[in-house]
């Protein structure tokens, strides 16, 4: 067996406080495209028209069709073994543990991950929140499809030739050509509305849009977990380069306090793979396969 794997497994069974930092790479083998990189979602869209507060203000019907389509894609995908491995970690009583995910696909939540130690720092496609400044209504894990009658048939892939969306063919491949085109014009009354506000304020997707700040309350809770009590023994960096704020700061702070780092990704620096970077292990490949294997001494078979 690989020397790094043996060392890691020896360490992980003794770890008492663990953080997992999750990025798009974990969901790739569930069939969801990553945002950046060659298959990146934003290569095919203009994010300014679809994923900003201004876009929603100008045409909420367009933005909701886009999110209806993304919700549908994420719902067709299934959590993979990597998600289930972390879900198992989240259930243990004798380990202090949190998952920080940059993914909005809801797959960690659907793998029965405990809710109170799952931090979706970019929000979730399956969270709805009120657009009114006066209202703090939030609904988590709404997996209904379609969300409203008018959004029915807006969630399938658009078939340019036939000028309509092709219905589900039963094809499980959800990665094919993400070319989003809206199907119809929608009025505000067609869209999800806040059940609390009397004036029928619109609900919006609970994702962090371009130009918005990350949810401060969540970041504070993560900071408290890392900074108070016992120091973190181990951070698992999964399917992400971990170079974007705040992800990079978690790795640095945990290392600084004597914690170790284990990276699971398709792309890892050679120095790490050769074991030349102190207190850092690198496991190159599909995180959905590598994670259950590496964590096996701790979580057993899935
Ligand atoms: Zn409201």
């Amino acid at each position: 067996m690989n020397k790094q794997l043996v060392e890691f497994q020896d360490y992980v069974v003794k770890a008492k406080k663990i953080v997992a930092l999750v990025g798009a790479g974990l969901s790739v083998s569930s069939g969801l495209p990553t945002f950046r990189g060659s298959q990146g979602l934003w290569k095919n869209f203009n994010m300014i028209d679809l994923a900003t507060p201004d876009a929603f203000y100008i045409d909420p019907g367009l933005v909701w069709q886009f999110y209806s389509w993304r919700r549908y894609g994420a719902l067709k995908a299934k959590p993979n073994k990597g998600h289930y491995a972390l879900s198992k970690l989240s259930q243990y009583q004798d380990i202090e543990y949190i998952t920080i995910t940059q993914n909005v696909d809801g797959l960690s939540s659907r793998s029965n991950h405990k809710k109170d130690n799952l931090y979706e720092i970019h929000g979730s496609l399956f969270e709805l929140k009120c657009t009114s400044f006066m209202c703090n209504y939030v609904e988590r894990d709404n997996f209904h499809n379609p969300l409203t009658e008018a959004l029915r048939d807006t969630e399938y892939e658009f078939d340019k030739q036939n000028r309509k969306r092709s219905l589900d063919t039963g094809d499980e491949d959800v990665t094919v050509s993400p070319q989003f085109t809206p199907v119809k014009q929608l009025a505000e009354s067609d869209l999800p509305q806040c059940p609390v506000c009397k004036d029928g304020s619109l609900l919006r997707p609970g994702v962090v849009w371009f130009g918005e700040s990350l949810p401060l309350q969540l970041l504070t809770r993560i900071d408290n977990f890392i900074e108070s009590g016992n120091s973190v023994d181990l951070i698992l960096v999964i399917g992400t380069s971990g170079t974007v704020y705040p992800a990079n700061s978690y790795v640095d702070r945990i290392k600084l306090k004597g914690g170790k780092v284990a990276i699971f990704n398709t792309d890892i620096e050679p120095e790490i793979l050769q074991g030349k970077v102190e207190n850092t292990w690198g496991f190159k490949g599909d995180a959905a396969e590598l994670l259950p294997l590496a964590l096996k001494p701790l979580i057993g078979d899935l």
Side-chain angles (χ1 to χ4, degrees):
M1 215 174 353
N2 171 310
K3 182 166 165 276
Q4 290 215 29
L5 184 62
V6 175
E7 265 183 37
F8 171 80
Q9 291 186 330
D10 200 39
Y11 185 76
V12 78
V13 289
K14 292 180 275 189
K16 290 281 173 244
K17 189 166 176 178
I18 302 175
V19 171
L21 180 65
V22 175
L26 181 61
S27 294
V28 167
S29 57
S30 291
L32 291 173
T34 59
F35 275 74
R36 298 187 177 84
S38 58
Q39 295 288 309
L41 190 57
W42 295 114
K43 282 206 157 176
N44 296 293
F45 301 115
N46 184 351
M47 63 190 178
I48 303 297
D49 296 334
L50 295 170
T52 63
D54 277 354
F56 192 82
Y57 179 75
I58 293 164
D59 192 348
L62 171 70
V63 174
W64 260 122
Q65 284 179 74
F66 175 61
Y67 281 95
S68 178
W69 175 75
R70 288 194 55 201
R71 284 169 61 97
Y72 181 74
L75 278 173
K76 279 215 305 184
K78 294 186 181 74
N80 61 50
K81 285 181 182 170
H83 294 106
Y84 284 108
L86 298 184
S87 166
K88 216 163 169 186
L89 271 184
S90 80
Q91 317 280 344
Y92 286 136
Q93 305 283 346
D94 51 346
I95 298 174
E96 291 182 80
Y97 176 79
I98 58 170
T99 294
I100 305 166
T101 183
Q102 298 165 282
N103 298 343
V104 297
D105 54 35
L107 291 176
S108 283
S109 196
R110 282 169 60 207
S111 70
N112 300 319
H113 194 294
K114 257 177 77 183
K115 300 283 176 259
D116 60 356
N117 53 18
L118 175 63
Y119 296 92
E120 296 168 311
I121 58 171
H122 291 173
S124 166
L125 294 171
F126 301 99
E127 184 179 303
L128 306 180
K129 61 182 188 183
C130 185
T131 50
S132 166
F133 281 116
M134 311 300 287
C135 179
N136 55 11
Y137 177 79
V138 177
E139 190 181 341
R140 265 186 102 179
D141 290 345
N142 176 325
F143 296 112
H144 291 297
N145 182 65
L147 279 173
T148 66
E149 217 25 62
L151 283 170
R152 187 182 294 283
D153 299 336
T154 67
E155 65 270 56
Y156 307 104
E157 190 168 345
F158 192 77
D159 182 339
K160 271 203 172 131
Q161 225 151 27
N162 297 313
R163 302 299 302 162
K164 66 181 178 57
R165 282 183 201 272
S166 53
L167 294 180
D168 189 12
T169 55
D171 182 357
E172 286 302 305
D173 183 7
V174 293
T175 61
V176 287
S177 95
Q179 286 291 343
F180 173 79
T181 315
V183 170
K184 51 186 168 186
Q185 276 278 295
L186 292 173
E188 292 204 2
S189 56
D190 293 329
L191 305 173
Q193 284 171 11
C194 180
V196 177
C197 288
K198 290 187 180 70
D199 61 357
S201 295
L202 286 182
L203 293 178
R204 56 163 276 185
V207 294
V208 176
W209 280 330
F210 294 94
E212 289 186 316
S213 46
L214 300 181
L216 194 62
Q217 268 188 326
L218 279 193
L219 298 187
T220 305
R221 282 164 64 195
I222 293 168
D223 282 344
N224 287 341
F225 181 86
I226 292 175
E227 299 299 338
S228 45
N230 300 317
S231 55
V232 177
D233 300 307
L234 175 67
I235 181 165
L236 308 166
V237 182
I238 304 157
T240 172
S241 59
T243 52
V244 179
Y245 180 83
N248 53 356
S249 81
Y250 298 139
V251 174
D252 290 346
R253 280 151 62 192
I254 287 167
K255 262 186 127 166
L256 207 63
K257 287 190 158 188
K260 301 197 181 206
V261 186
I263 301 169
F264 300 82
N265 207 358
T266 49
D267 188 20
I268 299 179
E269 291 164 43
E271 292 76 22
I272 294 174
L273 289 174
Q274 291 155 13
K276 288 179 184 164
V277 178
E278 220 184 359
N279 296 327
T280 305
W281 296 287
F283 302 104
K284 188 174 173 175
D286 181 0
E289 296 299 325
L290 290 173
L291 208 51
L293 172 73
L295 292 174
K296 196 171 171 178
L298 190 59
I299 63 173
D301 285 309
L302 286 177

